[in-house]
Amino acid sequence: MPCCPNRPFLKSWSMTLPFEYQNPTLQFERFMVDARDCAGLPTTNMAWNMVVGVLHAFRWRLSVPQALSFAAVLPPMVRALFIEDWDLAQTVRPFGEAADWLADVRSVRHRHNFSPPDAVASVATALRRHVDELAFERVLANLPPQARRYWQPKTACAEEAGSKLL
């Protein structure tokens, strides 16, 4: 018996469920391991606050429409972290410099935050491994120029990942 006898159009219109929605936990775990390793942290538990801090510190520097366009290119679980606890009434912060970003990253659950000095670049490196690079770059091109600097990957960690793939 066909699955949809009264809806023959569904047979030709079906689409495979994307991996990121079939296995969001596995995809997120892989991202967290990459973030942990790029930051040189011993556990993903230690990397958690760093990842949340990097995502929220970036979000604080965007308008709501800008943040939503950025969220659209993130994997589902990372997207959920990016928008969690969002105070839409909060004033957009100036982009500032790397020291400002790190201070904001470390302010997230500061008593349990083990973010290293290169936390933003570590998360940027890990995140770039788990997004559609072209879509990510397109979104960054439509954000303030400092957004591209914020998501600059670490050279050493990126080279290390390339050598592991060989």
Side-chain angles (χ1 to χ4, degrees):
M1 174 184 272
C3 71
C4 312
N6 297 328
R7 298 180 188 150
F9 63 91
L10 288 179
K11 287 184 192 176
S12 63
W13 197 62
S14 66
M15 182 178 129
T16 305
L17 183 62
F19 174 80
E20 65 184 12
Y21 291 102
Q22 284 182 19
N23 298 295
T25 305
L26 176 60
Q27 184 184 40
F28 184 67
E29 182 180 336
R30 289 175 179 168
F31 163 70
M32 288 300 296
V33 166
D34 279 346
R36 175 201 69 197
D37 292 350
C38 283
L41 295 171
T43 69
T44 53
N45 286 334
M46 294 174 84
W48 173 261
N49 289 325
M50 174 187 70
V51 167
V52 171
V54 168
L55 292 170
H56 289 190
F58 185 66
R59 185 190 72 206
W60 295 336
R61 289 162 169 78
L62 302 176
S63 68
V64 172
Q66 290 170 332
L68 290 175
S69 70
F70 181 76
V73 298
L74 299 176
M77 299 289 285
V78 177
R79 184 180 316 134
L81 279 181
F82 182 71
I83 64 171
E84 80 166 349
D85 299 327
W86 194 354
D87 177 2
L88 296 175
Q90 186 176 19
T91 305
V92 176
R93 296 181 188 183
F95 254 91
E97 298 299 323
D100 303 312
W101 309 339
L102 183 60
D104 285 344
V105 168
R106 288 179 170 168
S107 75
V108 173
R109 300 178 190 108
H110 68 278
R111 290 184 178 198
H112 303 283
N113 195 313
F114 299 95
S115 297
D118 62 354
V120 174
S122 295
V123 174
T125 303
L127 183 61
R128 284 175 172 277
R129 294 178 188 166
H130 297 271
V131 297
D132 176 324
E133 190 71 28
L134 291 175
F136 192 76
E137 287 298 329
R138 245 189 325 268
V139 166
L140 290 180
N142 290 313
L143 296 177
Q146 302 93 327
R148 183 158 295 184
R149 275 192 16 243
Y150 192 94
W151 292 107
Q152 208 51 26
K154 286 170 60 170
T155 306
C157 194
E159 289 171 1
E160 208 175 278
S163 68
K164 286 181 185 176
L165 296 174
L166 298 177

